Amino acid sequence: MLARVAAEFYWLGRYVERIEHTARLLRFQLDRLADRPADELTLGWQAVYRILGQPPVGKTASGDDAETVVMPDAYTLAGGLVEERANPDSLLSCWEHGRENGQRVRAQLPLPVWTCLNQGYLWIRDRDFSAAWSEAPAALVNEAIDRLRLFAGVVDAAMPRDEAWRFLELGRFIERVQHQAVLLASWIEFSREEHAANALSWADLLRVCGAYEVYCRRHSTNVDRTEALNLLTRDPELPRSLRFSVHRIEELLTGIDPVGARYPLAPPHRMALRLTAAVEMGNNGGSDETDAGGFFRSLEDESRSLHHLTMAAYVTYSPPQGLAK
Amino acid sequence: MSQRRASEGGVFGDYDLDPSYYDEMFGTDGSARQACRRLNAALAELAPEDLTRLQEGVYRHFLHEGITFTVLDAERVTEQIIPIDCVPRVLTAAEWEHIERGLKQRLTALNLFLKDVYHDGRCLRDKIVPIDLVLGCPQYRMEMRGLKVPHDVYVAVCGTDIVRTNDGFAVLEDNLRVPSGVSYMLACRNAIKDAFPRLYRAHRVREVADYAERLYSTLASLRPSLQDPQVAILTPGIHNSAYYEHAFLAGEMGIHLVEGQDLVLRDGALHMRTTAGLRRIDVLYRRIDDDYLDPVMFRGESVLGAAGLFHAYRTGNLVLANAPGTGVADDKSLYSYVPAIIRYFLGEEPILANVETHLCREPGGLAYTLEHLEELVVKEVGGAGGYGMLVGPHASAEERATYAERVRADPANFISQPVLALSRAPCFVGGAIEPRHVDLRPFVLQGRDEQHVVPGGLCRVALRRGSLVVNSSQGGGCKDLWILED
């Protein structure tokens, strides 16, 4: 497969995952708009923006109201993450980038996959956002998530398990590890902040990750921090757990480069193994919260390194090295 | 001009016949031509709403599948859907047989001409074509002089624009560099087949679906020494107006769609960067102009091609389709010499006529053009896409005066032709079927031993009432072309 094409598939996977992550966080916050007090909503928006690496929102009022945080209205805040073209991580921008990746590999992309991606983009591009915000804001985000699930289903049904598929999946799971690591690190940080701890519970974290029902079935509706973090870090079956993701990354890299999976390991394979070991054995803060945030931040750094090593090994290598292979 | 209505009521209610133009569906007496009767009857039974629904279905299909062309202007890049008219145009087997023979003859002669002008130059010495016209043409590539082209196939893929007037078919233009439009022909066929499945079956229309297979065989045949040559398409990228077509053809043929950034020259051969290292390319179907192929040989600032690509070609390590320098044979000035070229190289009379053309590079042609500007279409010899031309009867006196200045300043850059009475075909526009001007671009493949004319083509339509400009970039659309089996 062409190196550039592999990179396009990889980035397509990353953008799709990024959209889903943003949409899940937004859905969590938009669902709360109807019945949560204003200060909780403020904290919620600040958390969502912080987790997504966006510039902080809200500013402290001056004078007698020095303790009041002045926030833009909810739909402006949601709009910044959904429809804002100037924000490269907004749903619209990510869909546009993902579609462009898809367009660049149209020759390799099965028609149903391309059509689904294109229709998703046309849906969000032609959306009347002001109407959506005034009528049913959560429905917009829910539909985005449904469309991503449809896309994932079509990919599953229509794409052969070849190199293209592996790069697409690799992009998704590397992106997922990065986002999950940041999400968990941020939530641990919120749990240490008095106001935020009350507004953002561990049950909320599980809901954002689509793991609340699984947790309840295995444990109880009383969510315990240790169990929640263990589920999201080390569960081998939960699709959004870190362990599940790093194992998928290992498998995908082995499929892409079986030789690199044998000793001496190729750099991406080595980094993937290191990530797996860290996830399986590292201190995720379940029992000791002192360096838990740092643990997840280091996972985020290592997943970024994995990205660079993957690109260097299969996409941006220098030609003489390529000839020698 | 007397005008008669072709039929009363239904979707044809406002269809006016004008005898100045050949009508593709109706004879001069207003009745449907033999080959079109079944189609005419079927359409007449439809209500405008039915056709609107079909047309909207076709539009949605194109939108969702992203069957688009890209328009670049100074400010932004936009993707547009080529408007598809859902009423097919029909040609009989006999009409097609005439066109097919004419196209084969023309391409054979033009390939021989190209070989000659890059080797012996017999036709230049014998004054069949003026030597300065050839050597002075910007598309003539000195780099190709004396270079042996595999199997003498300079043009492997050709798209020829054909028009019909009351006098019959005529060639308007040959496209011998990177002709485009074949993917729209195929997309259009699929859409119309879905819209009218029974009607399509009843007409026994010749199939075009094997185009990609035939194109692949044609390209692979140019490298017969290899059992399984690595064939790739070179595209300028997603912002090129024909990108959809490049991706479509690569997908259909199961070959790589490469960009300049994917290419590397190693050991005198062209390679592409894959995830597992470099892989050699044997045949490159390039969809970029000569100028951008190789920054070492042509335009130095080009990033669309690859440094050293021409070296690989020159040393026989790479086959290019089409060969560099073929543009000299589709230059608008040279066009008027094609009948003479056919006679000279093949010893035959041209089967397809040319359109009367006046070369402004010749004093007589310049004088005639300037005197009759009001009646003529004046074109730049290197122009394309309907840009930069003057349609005399539609231009204001001021526009004509300005254009005349340009012609006087650089006469060799212009040719003129009479305004052609392009044939008209029924089109569904604004809720009713009305006549619109059409042309036709059939595609010819020239392999090592075989020529194949695709039994169909891109039928372009000037959708604006009265307009003669069929280019998609200027409000044109397209329609399916049905070549009947018998």
Side-chain angles (χ1 to χ4, degrees):
Chain A
M1 160 177 273
L2 283 174
R4 175 183 54 80
V5 168
E8 301 289 356
F9 273 107
Y10 173 85
W11 277 107
L12 171 58
R14 290 198 66 145
Y15 281 121
V16 168
E17 185 64 28
R18 198 171 295 181
I19 297 170
E20 181 166 355
H21 182 68
T22 305
R24 279 170 175 276
L25 279 165
L26 260 173
R27 181 170 63 179
F28 155 74
Q29 178 66 2
L30 291 173
D31 280 346
R32 292 151 47 102
L33 290 181
D35 57 3
R36 297 291 179 106
D39 56 340
E40 269 194 35
L41 293 177
T42 298
L43 284 166
W45 281 119
Q46 288 173 332
V48 168
Y49 267 68
R50 199 159 110 193
I51 291 164
L52 293 173
Q54 298 288 321
V57 287
K59 52 185 178 191
T60 308
S62 55
D64 294 342
D65 297 326
E67 292 197 1
T68 308
V69 177
V70 180
M71 294 286 283
D73 69 84
Y75 304 133
T76 304
L77 289 164
L81 299 177
V82 174
E83 58 179 291
E84 181 54 63
R85 280 183 185 276
N87 176 5
D89 292 326
S90 72
L91 299 193
L92 178 59
S93 298
C94 287
W95 226 306
E96 197 165 73
H97 294 316
R99 179 192 182 254
E100 195 168 306
N101 293 126
Q103 207 173 16
R104 290 180 196 277
V105 295
R106 269 186 81 158
Q108 286 84 8
L109 209 54
L111 185 61
V113 178
W114 160 253
T115 306
C116 186
L117 179 67
N118 191 39
Q119 281 181 287
Y121 166 71
L122 295 173
W123 165 76
I124 198 162
R125 186 197 68 179
D126 299 337
R127 193 79 198 180
D128 178 355
F129 287 106
S130 55
W133 296 136
S134 63
E135 286 160 18
L140 174 86
V141 178
N142 278 329
E143 187 168 354
I145 292 172
D146 285 348
R147 283 180 178 273
L148 291 171
R149 285 182 182 149
L150 177 66
F151 177 75
V154 175
V155 165
D156 186 56
M159 278 189 79
R161 271 37 177 179
D162 59 4
E163 219 177 344
W165 176 81
R166 289 193 187 100
F167 271 101
L168 186 139
E169 292 289 291
L170 184 66
R172 279 181 63 198
F173 281 103
I174 289 181
E175 182 83 10
R176 185 173 296 182
V177 169
Q178 279 185 22
H179 284 308
Q180 286 297 100
V182 172
L183 177 66
L184 296 178
S186 306
W187 221 273
I188 287 171
E189 286 157 19
F190 301 145
S191 72
R192 292 190 194 127
E193 298 164 14
E194 195 184 336
H195 298 302
N198 295 329
L200 304 163
S201 68
W202 294 104
D204 289 335
L205 173 64
L206 291 169
R207 285 194 188 94
V208 169
C209 299
Y212 181 69
E213 287 171 18
V214 176
Y215 183 93
C216 292
R217 277 200 297 275
R218 292 197 192 161
H219 303 285
S220 76
T221 49
N222 259 345
V223 178
D224 170 70
R225 165 203 167 99
T226 306
E227 297 296 353
L229 282 174
N230 275 337
L231 180 70
L232 296 176
T233 310
R234 301 213 173 101
D235 190 272
E237 293 162 351
L238 187 74
R240 303 198 80 76
S241 88
L242 286 168
R243 187 174 175 188
F244 184 93
S245 301
V246 294
H247 278 192
R248 294 291 292 127
I249 290 171
E250 264 190 74
E251 286 166 17
L252 291 161
L253 280 171
T254 303
I256 289 168
D257 181 7
V259 177
R262 293 200 288 265
Y263 288 91
L265 294 169
H269 296 69
R270 180 178 293 279
M271 180 53 79
L273 273 181
R274 191 169 142 174
L275 255 176
T276 307
V279 167
E280 289 178 352
M281 298 185 288
N283 176 6
N284 69 356
S287 52
D288 172 14
E289 52 183 276
T290 50
D291 64 348
F295 166 72
F296 288 112
R297 294 285 176 198
S298 75
L299 287 184
E300 186 208 351
D301 289 343
E302 286 182 4
S303 59
R304 282 186 199 284
S305 301
L306 178 58
H307 160 79
H308 293 305
L309 291 170
T310 304
M311 288 295 109
Y314 307 114
V315 179
T316 57
Y317 62 81
S318 58
Q321 180 191 346
L323 260 186
K325 270 198 173 180
Chain B
M1 191 67 64
S2 71
Q3 295 192 341
R4 272 181 296 160
R5 183 159 290 181
S7 59
E8 295 290 334
V11 287
F12 284 100
D14 293 327
Y15 197 92
D16 287 324
L17 283 172
D18 182 340
S20 319
Y21 307 108
Y22 183 93
D23 192 280
E24 298 287 341
M25 183 173 273
F26 298 105
T28 46
D29 62 352
S31 62
R33 297 181 190 280
Q34 174 76 29
C36 299
R37 279 186 193 154
R38 193 194 298 261
L39 176 63
N40 174 246
L43 290 171
E45 281 178 15
L46 294 174
E49 304 82 63
D50 298 328
L51 274 173
T52 303
R53 203 175 48 251
L54 284 171
Q55 193 100 8
E56 284 172 355
V58 171
Y59 175 83
R60 261 197 313 279
H61 170 82
F62 272 54
L63 180 71
H64 291 164
E65 289 199 7
I67 302 170
T68 56
F69 65 98
T70 310
V71 178
L72 288 168
D73 61 33
E75 286 171 6
R76 58 186 190 148
V77 178
T78 48
E79 282 175 50
Q80 292 184 7
I81 291 176
I82 191 163
I84 302 292
D85 178 65
C86 63
V87 182
R89 175 181 174 187
V90 178
L91 289 183
T92 63
E95 287 170 330
W96 185 249
E97 194 266 343
H98 172 72
I99 291 175
E100 190 174 2
R101 280 193 303 116
L103 289 172
K104 284 183 173 176
Q105 179 196 54
R106 203 166 171 102
L107 183 57
T108 304
L110 288 171
N111 266 316
L112 289 168
F113 167 75
L114 283 163
K115 183 187 175 190
D116 188 52
V117 295
Y118 286 117
H119 289 84
D120 304 335
R122 277 193 308 125
C123 72
L124 305 181
R125 275 199 309 276
D126 292 343
K127 299 192 179 350
I128 303 301
V129 182
I131 188 165
D132 58 326
L133 181 67
V134 172
L135 300 187
C137 173
Q139 303 306 324
Y140 184 82
R141 298 288 171 192
M142 285 299 172
E143 298 83 354
M144 291 293 290
R145 285 273 296 134
L147 200 150
K148 169 76 182 148
V149 168
H151 316 290
D152 299 328
V153 177
Y154 284 78
V155 180
V157 184
C158 163
T160 303
D161 293 345
I162 293 179
V163 295
R164 169 144 66 179
T165 65
N166 277 325
D167 298 329
F169 291 107
V171 173
L172 188 62
E173 189 170 282
D174 301 288
N175 294 287
L176 307 177
R177 293 175 241 185
V178 281
S180 63
V182 78
S183 60
Y184 301 119
M185 170 192 83
L186 295 166
C188 205
R189 169 61 56 87
N190 288 337
I192 298 303
K193 241 198 243 185
D194 285 349
F196 299 111
R198 287 191 192 149
L199 201 57
Y200 181 82
R201 174 174 278 277
H203 273 80
R204 300 185 63 227
V205 180
R206 289 184 65 183
E207 272 301 331
V208 290
D210 64 348
Y211 176 77
E213 208 176 301
R214 290 203 179 253
L215 175 62
Y216 182 83
S217 308
T218 299
L219 295 170
S221 78
L222 300 177
R223 200 69 197 264
S225 56
L226 298 175
Q227 206 168 29
D228 189 16
Q230 181 77 253
V231 182
I233 297 183
L234 174 60
T235 175
I238 59 167
H239 298 310
N240 182 265
S241 61
Y243 178 77
Y244 162 72
E245 177 155 310
H246 307 162
F248 171 84
L249 290 176
E252 289 284 302
M253 289 193 278
I255 62 174
H256 290 288
L257 180 64
V258 297
E259 296 181 14
Q261 56 179 305
D262 301 321
L263 303 175
V264 178
L265 189 82
R266 282 289 180 276
D267 302 333
L270 191 70
H271 292 78
M272 56 188 167
R273 297 163 57 93
T274 74
T275 53
L278 300 186
R279 289 280 177 275
R280 184 174 158 145
I281 296 175
D282 303 304
V283 181
L284 191 64
Y285 178 32
R286 51 84 174 223
R287 295 296 299 255
I288 68 176
D289 288 340
D290 291 357
D291 278 344
Y292 301 98
L293 273 177
D294 182 345
V296 176
M297 292 303 289
F298 305 115
R299 283 176 73 154
E301 74 275 22
S302 170
V303 290
L304 301 178
L309 185 149
F310 194 78
H311 172 73
Y313 178 63
R314 208 181 165 82
T315 49
N317 290 325
L318 174 72
V319 174
L320 280 175
N322 292 339
T326 51
V328 68
D330 72 7
D331 182 89
K332 288 186 171 64
S333 295
L334 189 112
Y335 160 86
S336 59
Y337 293 94
V338 174
I341 288 170
I342 292 171
R343 286 185 201 103
Y344 182 75
F345 285 104
L346 302 180
E348 299 170 2
E349 275 305 305
I351 296 166
L352 289 170
N354 256 25
V355 173
E356 177 191 341
T357 302
H358 309 280
L359 302 179
C360 299
R361 64 194 300 280
E362 293 170 357
L366 175 64
Y368 183 87
T369 300
L370 293 174
E371 278 165 27
H372 298 83
L373 216 48
E374 278 182 66
E375 306 149 28
L376 297 171
V377 177
V378 191
K379 300 175 182 174
E380 292 173 340
V381 293
Y387 293 106
M389 69 181 198
L390 177 89
V391 181
H394 296 173
S396 65
E398 193 183 341
E399 284 168 335
R400 285 197 294 271
T402 309
Y403 207 90
E405 283 308 309
R406 288 183 58 203
V407 175
R408 279 193 201 94
D410 185 13
N413 192 36
F414 295 91
I415 58 138
S416 66
Q417 293 170 329
V419 177
L420 293 174
L422 299 188
S423 65
R424 303 198 304 183
C427 296
F428 186 63
V429 189
I433 290 184
E434 295 180 8
R436 291 288 185 271
H437 294 290
V438 291
D439 83 348
L440 165 64
R441 177 178 291 178
F443 295 89
V444 192
L445 300 174
Q446 172 73 63
R448 183 184 48 159
D449 305 313
E450 204 185 342
Q451 265 184 338
H452 175 69
V453 182
V454 182
L458 179 70
C459 178
R460 301 185 297 177
V461 189
L463 287 170
R464 289 191 205 115
R465 190 194 297 260
S467 170
L468 292 165
V469 183
V470 294
N471 305 79
S472 54
S473 51
Q474 301 209 41
C478 64
K479 56 163 64 213
D480 196 13
L481 174 69
W482 289 2
I483 310 295
L484 305 186
E485 288 278 5
D486 48 33

